[in-house]
Amino acid sequence: LARLAGALCLAFLILVAIAAPFIAPYEPVTQFREHLLAPPMTVHLRDAEGHWRRPFIYPLQIVDRLERRFAEDRAHPVPLRFFANGHLAQLDTEAYGPWLLLGSDPLGRDLFSRLVHGARISLGVAATAVGGALLIGMALGALASYRGGAIDHAIMRLAEFVLLLPALYVVLA
């Protein structure tokens, strides 16, 4: 059961990474200079009177630039639009500011967009490393089985050393 849950989580992460341009509302380099270090923005389903509405956000307005304090502008709820302009979800209008689902970094870039696009890069590097290790292992294994003798022993000692490296780092720490 735990393996199935892990496999499902990995499959979900891979799908999110593949669909990063569709899922992320902005490009990872897009900056919003008025929203440096902005907090996460909550998606609401009920308005101030308690009525159900389609998903919306309250835009952020800066209260104090020095302390970087923001407050929700409850006078201007902005609805979310789904499956528009090639994105999963976007604001109906950006007249009141951007939608920063996880907030923004010190340069005003959307953290959610950067996280989703970063997952794509990280999983690509991991897949490349696994493929390279597999090819090197297959080539060395084939050489060891074909030649045998001293070459086989040398390659096996090298493989044992590589397997020992993580434990060596722990001992050194």
Side-chain angles (χ1 to χ4, degrees):
L1 187 63
R3 284 187 180 183
L4 177 64
L8 289 176
C9 285
L10 182 61
F12 176 73
L13 288 175
I14 290 171
L15 286 175
V16 167
I18 290 171
F22 174 69
I23 292 173
Y26 305 105
E27 289 296 318
V29 295
T30 303
Q31 293 183 337
F32 303 99
R33 303 232 181 231
E34 294 296 316
H35 292 80
L36 307 179
L37 293 172
M41 299 173 80
T42 307
V43 176
H44 300 277
L45 296 174
R46 289 185 175 205
D47 59 13
E49 292 82 34
H51 298 104
W52 288 95
R53 295 178 46 164
R54 76 179 212 200
F56 69 96
I57 62 151
Y58 290 117
L60 292 177
Q61 288 192 337
I62 192 153
V63 175
D64 187 357
R65 285 191 190 282
L66 187 59
E67 293 180 10
R68 296 196 203 285
R69 280 189 317 159
F70 292 85
E72 288 183 338
D73 181 8
R74 296 207 170 245
H76 301 101
V78 180
L80 293 175
R81 191 174 40 182
F82 295 96
F83 304 107
N85 299 328
H87 293 280
L88 178 63
Q90 282 190 325
L91 297 179
D92 260 355
T93 177
E94 295 213 1
Y96 299 106
W99 175 34
L100 305 169
L101 187 61
L102 295 179
S104 67
D105 66 4
L107 297 176
R109 298 173 297 193
D110 178 31
L111 288 176
F112 178 72
S113 296
R114 294 180 63 75
L115 178 73
V116 171
H117 282 278
R120 177 180 243 190
I121 295 168
S122 295
L123 289 175
V125 168
T128 304
V130 166
L134 185 65
L135 287 175
I136 291 171
M138 285 175 24
L140 288 176
L143 178 66
S145 67
Y146 180 72
R147 296 295 298 208
I151 292 177
D152 179 29
H153 287 293
I155 291 175
M156 290 304 112
R157 296 305 79 80
L158 178 66
E160 289 171 359
F161 177 73
V162 169
L163 289 173
L164 182 70
L165 277 177
L168 266 171
Y169 293 142
V170 171
V171 168
L172 288 174

